[in-house]
Amino acid sequence: MYQILIVEDDPGIAGAIREQMEVYEMQAHCVKNFRNVLGEFAAFQPHLILLDIRLPFFHGYHWCSEIRRVSKVPIIFISSASDSMNIVTAMNMGADDFIAKPFDQNVLMAKVQALLRRTYDFGAGAPILEHRGAMLNTDEGTLSYQGEKIALSKNEFRILLTLMRSKGKVVSREKLMDALWETDSFVDEAALTVNVGRLRKRLEAAGLTDFIATRHGVGYLIGD
């Protein structure tokens, strides 16, 4: 089931779009916190975003730019500000399409379905794992925090990926070593300790202190 994120502050329009998506058996989520659109994006992990330009606190161009820092997910702008300047700006910011308000729901659905087919018939999307504002792009192997990318080695990425996939649960040292062996990085207990230590230093340097907790004698944990 495709997941659609609706970033629209008019509840009537947002609700109507959500209902239309559900008719086509898509799961739709309407953003509630317009101060934290990026957080809701990361939590929902949509396959496509419908984004208005005029929003509370920050305009749609801002959120388009923020999302493009961490993901290539398709974005369609929907706005009454449909003059040529806004359309060009939206496309230059990374949008995939622009639909002017008021619009026909059938036209909207046709464009959404066409873009989904073009995007996902030729490869999977890039799911984002998020914790405390840190965004791990599992497709590109990159970590972003506060708009900046944090360089990770192959082993560091694999460790962080394994921990974030099990967020809230303790991951044993044995499971982490198994995850590294899958990438042909044959590590022992000492090497794992070194890799985790380096990863912690990178995270702390970026402002992510105490991101990885140790459970002595058991393993490591990423949690709230």
Side-chain angles (χ1 to χ4, degrees):
M1 179 183 290
Y2 286 119
Q3 298 185 169
I4 312 298
L5 184 68
I6 302 168
V7 190
E8 165 61 65
D9 64 320
D10 185 313
I13 296 175
I17 295 174
R18 185 186 64 243
E19 291 175 3
Q20 185 76 354
M21 295 295 162
E22 291 171 351
V23 168
Y24 283 80
E25 298 183 343
M26 297 181 187
Q27 183 181 359
H29 171 74
C30 300
V31 164
K32 299 178 178 63
N33 184 356
F34 289 95
R35 288 185 184 272
N36 189 31
V37 172
L38 196 61
E40 293 201 30
F41 159 76
F44 187 58
Q45 295 192 21
H47 296 94
L48 183 144
I49 299 172
L50 296 174
L51 178 62
D52 195 4
I53 294 176
R54 294 168 179 163
L55 297 168
F57 308 112
F58 302 96
H59 53 61
Y61 297 138
H62 168 80
W63 293 119
C64 182
S65 177
E66 290 297 297
I67 290 166
R68 278 290 170 262
R69 291 178 186 272
V70 298
S71 176
K72 297 177 181 177
V73 64
I75 297 174
I76 299 177
F77 270 92
I78 50 172
S79 178
S80 57
S82 56
D83 57 275
S84 59
M85 181 61 71
N86 275 302
I87 294 173
V88 169
T89 300
M91 305 306 285
N92 286 338
M93 293 294 292
D96 297 275
D97 205 342
F98 192 109
I99 299 177
K101 295 179 183 176
F103 51 80
D104 185 290
Q105 288 275 27
N106 292 321
V107 173
L108 172 65
M109 286 308 309
K111 284 181 172 285
V112 166
Q113 289 177 311
L115 186 51
L116 288 171
R117 283 195 303 270
R118 290 199 301 270
T119 303
Y120 298 104
D121 282 353
F122 298 99
I128 304 294
L129 301 178
E130 185 273 342
H131 181 63
R132 285 174 48 187
M135 310 265 185
L136 187 68
N137 188 313
T138 62
D139 185 58
E140 297 179 356
T142 58
L143 178 67
S144 300
Y145 179 63
Q146 294 184 342
E148 300 294 329
K149 286 194 175 181
I150 303 169
L152 299 176
S153 70
K154 180 175 68 175
N155 283 357
E156 290 163 356
F157 168 75
R158 196 69 186 178
I159 290 169
L160 190 58
L161 174 64
T162 304
L163 291 173
M164 290 187 73
R165 279 178 170 169
S166 300
K167 187 168 71 170
K169 301 177 182 177
V170 177
V171 179
S172 69
R173 293 176 62 86
E174 290 76 15
K175 183 174 180 179
L176 286 172
M177 287 189 287
D178 287 344
L180 296 179
W181 289 339
E182 288 176 4
T183 61
D184 297 326
S185 296
F186 299 101
V187 299
D188 56 16
E189 290 269 352
L192 177 62
T193 300
V194 170
N195 276 276
V196 171
R198 287 174 178 167
L199 174 58
R200 277 178 164 151
K201 288 181 180 179
R202 290 189 192 277
L203 296 172
E204 288 171 1
L208 292 164
T209 57
D210 300 321
F211 196 80
I212 300 173
T214 300
R215 293 293 181 265
H216 294 288
V218 183
Y220 301 96
L221 166 73
I222 285 178
D224 298 328

